[in-house]
Amino acid sequence: MAAAGSPRIDAYAVLSDAPPTDRVAIAAELALSDRDPPLDCPAYRAALRKAVSEEPPPFSTEAYAKIYRDSSVSGKWLAISLISNAQREGQGAGDLWTLAACADNEAERQLIKRHAVDESRHARLYLALLDLAFPDAVDPAFRKELDVVSPGFTMAQEPSVVVGSPYATRPTIDLYVQMNIAEIRTTIHHLLQRAALALHCPAANLPRATKVLDSLFRDELSHVSYTAELIETKATAAGPGGLDGLYRRRLADFNRITNDEFGMTIHD
């Protein structure tokens, strides 16, 4: 983060200009530096960089970006993708709400709760992007049904276990590592999504769509930073060793899932 009185770093521009293969580490650095005061998290930084060097993530390659760009030329594909994102965010909000209810540390509880509220709002924001990019393209009755994907959580509410959620468990460093990787992937995805929406969104709606995208991007960086902070705290409490291997294993798992989604191995 810039020093007091200095202009704030344009994180989106920095990440956009970075080579695809560098974006995972850069997204993490931008997230840590955007906190006030900036976070150090040396164990987390080292584990992430080592994992990326040993298990290069396919979602941070030009090959992956090309697949996304080619797919998003289709307005139908992009509209379905926005709906899927809304559904995932709504489901994620419920899982985080459950996890927050199970946290035995009040500081963690509040951080996870904030994340759940963000994702609940994100479900609505993705639907707003759908409306802006493809006005009147979705059947009104179906569009009304989609509004239920957001659980509507607020910070004024008390977290509780959501029926059916698999996250009724005490939060662990393993879960935070998985969350951190997922949030970095989503941050990088915003670069691709923004360019895709520009292809389809009516010019009159694009400024509003950009504001929505900016809000989503800022939130993703915040989620990367808070999970990094919790990873660092728990790694320090556990003593030396372990984090490097855990982060590498979870990144490898995430890479396999990404490759399986495409039915191929993505590489540069």
Side-chain angles (χ1 to χ4, degrees):
M1 189 173 71
S6 300
R8 187 173 184 178
I9 293 172
D10 186 340
Y12 178 81
V14 171
L15 198 59
S16 297
D17 291 341
T21 51
D22 294 343
R23 285 175 178 165
V24 169
I26 291 174
E29 293 294 336
L30 288 168
L32 295 176
S33 66
D34 199 48
R35 290 286 289 274
D36 188 12
L39 296 174
D40 190 11
C41 299
Y44 163 78
R45 275 187 163 108
L48 179 143
R49 288 187 175 278
K50 191 171 189 296
V52 168
S53 69
E54 295 177 357
E55 301 285 347
F59 56 84
S60 187
T61 63
E62 178 54 33
Y64 183 92
K66 184 178 186 305
I67 290 172
Y68 189 97
R69 287 194 300 268
D70 290 347
S71 298
S72 62
V73 169
S74 164
K76 181 179 180 181
W77 182 91
L78 186 58
I80 292 172
S81 176
L82 291 171
I83 293 170
S84 297
N85 285 338
Q87 293 170 330
R88 280 195 295 268
E89 293 287 327
Q91 177 63 50
D95 291 339
L96 287 162
W97 200 244
T98 297
L99 197 62
C102 297
D104 55 11
N105 177 295
E106 185 59 24
E108 288 184 50
R109 179 185 178 88
Q110 290 302 314
L111 289 168
I112 301 169
K113 178 182 176 181
R114 174 77 266 172
H115 192 172
V117 170
D118 286 348
E119 295 218 345
S120 180
R121 186 179 73 259
H122 290 181
R124 297 193 300 271
L125 291 182
Y126 277 113
L127 294 177
L129 289 173
L130 176 70
D131 295 338
L132 289 167
F134 304 102
D136 305 320
V138 180
D139 178 78
F142 177 59
R143 176 62 186 83
K144 187 174 179 59
E145 290 177 10
L146 289 174
D147 286 333
V148 304
V149 301
S150 171
F153 297 139
T154 70
M155 291 302 289
Q157 296 173 294
E158 195 64 22
S160 59
V161 174
V162 174
V163 176
S165 173
Y167 288 90
T169 182
R170 183 173 175 270
T172 64
I173 188 172
D174 192 349
L175 274 176
Y176 289 135
V177 166
Q178 294 177 58
M179 289 163 61
N180 184 260
I181 295 169
E183 296 301 320
I184 290 174
R185 178 185 183 272
T186 303
T187 300
I188 293 172
H189 237 237
H190 276 298
L191 306 181
L192 308 175
Q193 194 171 62
R194 188 175 300 225
L197 280 165
L199 294 175
H200 300 281
C201 189
N205 292 348
L206 195 54
R208 282 181 292 165
T210 300
K211 287 183 179 180
V212 172
L213 290 164
D214 286 343
S215 177
L216 288 165
F217 185 76
R218 286 193 300 270
D219 283 350
E220 298 306 339
L221 286 180
S222 176
H223 300 162
V224 172
S225 68
Y226 100 81
T227 51
E229 183 177 20
L230 291 175
I231 290 168
E232 186 76 18
T233 299
K234 290 186 177 294
T236 301
L243 179 57
D244 287 2
L246 173 61
Y247 207 105
R248 180 187 57 76
R249 289 194 301 275
R250 289 312 183 194
L251 183 57
D253 291 342
F254 212 92
N255 292 348
R256 280 193 292 273
I257 292 170
T258 301
N259 284 328
D260 287 347
E261 287 175 351
F262 288 89
M264 59 180 288
T265 299
I266 302 172
H267 57 81
D268 276 331

